[in-house]
Amino acid sequence: MTAQTWPFEPYKIKMVEPLPVTTRARREEALRDAGWNLFGLRAGDVTIDLLTDSGTAAMSHHQWAALLGGDETYAGARSWTRFERTVQEIFGFRHVIPTHQGRAAERILFAALVQERESEVVPSNAHFDTTKGNLELLGRRAKDFPISEARDPSTRAPFKGDADLTAVEEQIRDGKVPFVMLTVTNNAGGGQPVSMANIRGMGELARAYGIPFVIDACRFAENASFIRQREPGYADVAIPEIVREMFAQADAITMSAKKDGLANIGGFICVNDDEVATRVKQLCIAGEGYPTYGGLAGRDLDAIAVGLREVLDEDYLRHRVGTTAAFVEALAARGVPVLLPPGGHAAYLDARMFLPHLPWDHYPAQTLVDEIYLEGGVRGSELGTVTFGMDSTTGVERPATWELVRLALPRRVYTRSHLEYVIETVAAVHDRREAVRGLRITSQPRVMRNFTSRFAPVAQAEALDPLEPPTRKFATRSARD
Ligand SMILES: *Cc1c(COP(=O)(O)O)cnc(C)c1O
């Protein structure tokens, strides 16, 4: 186990928000009311909220000040000019189109790119769920091409987010690929970074076959920080330069400002091609708003513009990536099974190894995420059979490839002592793991069931005689490929 020091927070606190402190009895009640689904909890019952790193960042005083300077002119606002100039400088594209968040950027750009082509499959290192959803809504298939090292949770490869370019090329040769994608960092695959070599390779492949290359840029700054840290030749290259080099390879990007925009809402599209930009702007007007505000208030554009510069700060990134690493390594040192090496924004606990006595249809990851909440009021998210195990077209349920609990770290929100409390909480569950019993589903929709399914402890659920259980089928293949 690599010893990992905790970097100190490169900021101080000048506004505080009290944390709810709850009793075990209150948490039991809250969990029962929520049907053992943590999405059903109210914020007042959560002490440390690691459900997501999306839209949960603490804004800086410069961002709050920028909000007051927001210009709410409908078309061509001064806020828009500041936003456009910042995004162009950082990412280097000709056209910038704002959207209300990342998934709107996906919906619009994909619709503009698949137009008039007979095309079926969009390859990526790993599609995020909204990316996949937006492609499927257009009748296209989203297909993941991770490298083989990504499949082993304990291999400490430096760039486990890379795509398997040989397999991507085979897919392109088969025809019907409208464009290729990379997600940086790879969220679905554990927040693992993509190397500059892989980004360059994907760019060369796209150019060789005359198709566009789109980057899902949500965690671009965290990715750049890993390139600097781990890729030979980049140790002395400034972060903004690494970012420019990454995006010089791409034809377009989709971005969620709720991640590395350090904002609470927002997103955007960047594109170089004039014709694609024209189509994107039309779709933006139809669904989001005039293309100089794209579903956002002028003040939001200003907060994002400031956030995009702050996220490139070396001290910020050293703390961000260093804290995630220290957190993950500390869990590993306590014997907690975690995905390695640490990624940029979260710890991923392997629930199958944590609770080996639970069968897959007692939902080990859901059980674990609930136990961690009961233990200390810490909320994580399930990324296992509940989220990925249901085939929505057939209604058949099978074990997902991974059975993970994600503890995502909001940016600039929690301090080291909060995370030490989380480590103690998880370790306490680990100490009593053999006594943990699983869950049964008592009600569920077929689509996106992780958000609204209700559960009950196995013993109680059987007494309740739940609804007809879903059809089950064992399979070793990924439920997602
Ligand atoms: C969050 C996220 C999105 C979608 O962005 P939203 O702002 O939540 O709509 C797309 N891709 C990745 C990799 C993400 O993490």
Side-chain angles (χ1 to χ4, degrees):
M1 220 51 66
T2 334
Q4 186 84 37
T5 51
W6 290 82
F8 72 83
E9 286 79 12
Y11 45 83
K12 60 181 178 175
I13 295 163
K14 72 167 150 198
M15 190 189 288
V16 297
E17 178 183 327
L19 287 178
V21 179
T22 55
T23 61
R24 168 104 193 183
R26 174 59 210 151
R27 296 195 289 274
E28 282 173 3
E29 198 184 336
L31 194 61
R32 239 188 342 266
D33 290 348
W36 279 266
N37 186 332
L38 300 189
F39 279 102
L41 293 175
R42 292 176 194 273
D45 290 318
V46 180
T47 303
I48 306 283
D49 204 348
L50 308 184
L51 183 70
T52 177
D53 65 321
S54 178
T56 51
M59 293 208 297
S60 68
H61 60 170
H62 291 304
Q63 285 177 291
W64 282 105
L67 282 177
L68 290 181
D71 173 9
E72 306 305 339
T73 302
Y74 189 94
R78 285 185 286 276
S79 297
W80 156 250
T81 307
R82 290 188 282 267
F83 174 84
E84 183 190 33
R85 199 186 307 129
T86 304
V87 174
Q88 280 173 337
E89 255 177 59
I90 293 174
F91 296 91
F93 290 86
R94 278 163 63 81
H95 303 282
V96 180
I97 300 94
T99 59
H100 80 280
Q101 61 182 83
R103 65 199 67 187
E106 292 162 1
R107 173 170 47 78
I108 290 171
L109 181 67
F110 297 168
L113 286 180
V114 297
Q115 232 188 25
E116 294 162 32
R117 282 172 194 256
E118 192 202 332
S119 50
E120 302 298 339
V121 179
V122 177
S124 177
N125 51 345
H127 291 274
F128 183 65
D129 48 14
T130 58
T131 314
K132 183 166 175 285
N134 276 303
L135 287 168
E136 287 172 355
L137 283 170
L138 290 165
R140 267 68 184 187
R141 258 187 79 206
K143 205 166 161 190
D144 295 347
F145 292 89
I147 51 165
S148 56
E149 288 94 322
R151 304 231 179 245
D152 180 354
S154 58
T155 311
R156 285 178 178 267
F159 290 103
K160 282 169 100 173
D162 281 357
D164 180 344
L165 296 179
T166 313
V168 172
E169 183 164 12
E170 275 168 32
Q171 182 70 57
I172 299 175
R173 285 224 182 106
D174 279 355
K176 300 190 172 176
V177 170
F179 58 94
V180 290
M181 287 191 74
L182 277 177
T183 310
V184 302
T185 60
N186 178 350
N187 187 15
Q192 299 291 327
V194 181
S195 64
M196 189 70 85
N198 203 250
I199 295 172
R200 208 178 296 118
M202 189 66 98
E204 284 162 9
L205 208 54
R207 283 190 292 279
Y209 288 91
I211 53 178
F213 170 27
V214 179
I215 297 182
D216 177 340
C218 293
R219 296 178 183 78
F220 74 98
E222 288 168 14
N223 200 89
S225 170
F226 282 115
I227 287 175
R228 184 178 159 132
Q229 209 179 69
R230 296 182 183 169
E231 195 156 350
Y234 287 93
D236 299 320
V237 184
I239 294 286
E241 262 181 70
I242 295 177
V243 170
R244 283 297 285 255
E245 189 178 333
M246 285 163 63
F247 293 105
Q249 302 297 319
D251 300 291
I253 68 168
T254 56
M255 173 73 188
S256 168
K258 301 173 73 173
K259 319 294 172 42
D260 273 352
L262 293 176
N264 303 123
I265 196 69
F268 54 89
I269 297 162
C270 292
V271 57
N272 281 330
D273 187 275
D274 295 339
E275 278 173 40
V276 175
T278 303
R279 286 202 292 276
V280 164
K281 284 178 191 171
Q282 279 165 356
L283 291 166
C284 181
I285 293 171
E288 295 285 294
Y290 191 69
T292 66
Y293 73 86
L296 294 167
R299 56 180 173 269
D300 296 328
L301 294 171
D302 272 310
I304 297 167
V306 176
L308 286 171
R309 292 206 189 277
E310 288 179 355
V311 83
L312 296 174
D313 179 74
E314 307 253 341
D315 294 330
Y316 164 79
L317 282 173
R318 199 177 303 117
H319 171 259
R320 172 71 179 163
V321 170
T323 297
T324 308
F327 177 55
V328 174
E329 298 290 2
L331 285 164
R334 297 292 285 267
V336 175
V338 286
L339 216 84
L340 293 169
H345 68 287
Y348 293 75
L349 315 184
D350 187 330
R352 242 176 232 142
M353 288 175 70
F354 200 115
L355 300 170
H357 56 288
L358 293 191
W360 71 272
D361 59 352
H362 288 187
Y363 308 108
Q366 185 66 37
T367 304
L368 179 56
V369 85
D370 283 353
E371 288 296 331
I372 292 169
Y373 172 70
L374 280 177
E375 184 67 37
V378 175
R379 173 158 71 171
S381 64
E382 196 264 14
L383 292 174
T385 299
V386 176
T387 302
F388 299 115
M390 168 64 83
D391 183 328
S392 58
T393 50
T394 60
V396 173
E397 185 184 35
R398 51 177 108 205
T401 312
W402 302 115
E403 196 65 33
L404 302 175
V405 164
R406 186 184 74 174
L407 302 174
L409 303 180
R411 295 170 178 78
R412 303 191 293 210
V413 171
Y414 296 117
T415 63
R416 172 178 177 177
S417 53
H418 291 126
L419 297 183
E420 283 175 342
Y421 169 77
V422 174
I423 293 160
E424 291 309 317
T425 301
V426 174
V429 177
H430 195 245
D431 287 346
R432 60 173 177 79
R433 62 190 180 278
E434 282 163 25
V436 170
R437 296 287 166 264
L439 297 165
R440 275 282 160 81
I441 291 181
T442 57
S443 74
Q444 62 174 327
R446 259 196 190 186
V447 183
M448 296 191 280
R449 64 177 182 168
N450 52 311
F451 295 105
T452 54
S453 287
R454 293 179 73 86
F455 304 83
V458 169
Q460 282 177 35
E462 274 157 13
L464 276 172
D465 190 20
L467 306 173
E468 184 80 352
T471 324
R472 297 215 165 82
K473 192 166 123 196
F474 286 89
T476 48
R477 276 170 49 94
S478 159
R480 285 191 286 158
D481 58 21

